[in-house]
Amino acid sequence: MTYIDLLVPGLAGLLLLVWPQSMFLGSRSLPDAKKIMLLRGLGITLLLVAVIFLVIKLGGD
């Protein structure tokens, strides 16, 4: 496992947490509150995955 494996879910999760409207750029659908909350929840989940990967990476070395 490399640090790139940590970076991908970390950046995706951070983007979803900070700016969930970015998933609707170029789309005809408008984000409502439920979709924004779901995307932020997905962002938190991806950040937790990145933290778990980091703990595994640092614990294995």
Side-chain angles (χ1 to χ4, degrees):
M1 181 182 324
T2 64
Y3 286 108
I4 297 295
D5 296 332
L6 304 172
L7 191 64
V8 171
L11 287 178
L14 190 62
L15 177 69
L16 284 173
L17 190 62
V18 173
W19 192 35
Q21 292 86 0
S22 66
M23 296 297 129
F24 295 98
L25 293 177
S27 176
R28 293 182 194 185
S29 66
L30 296 174
D32 58 351
K34 184 178 179 182
K35 290 178 186 175
I36 296 296
M37 283 180 31
L38 285 173
L39 287 173
R40 285 202 169 129
L42 180 63
I44 290 171
T45 304
L46 286 173
L47 284 174
L48 287 174
V49 166
V51 168
I52 290 170
F53 281 173
L54 181 64
V55 167
I56 291 170
K57 173 75 175 163
L58 294 177
D61 286 336

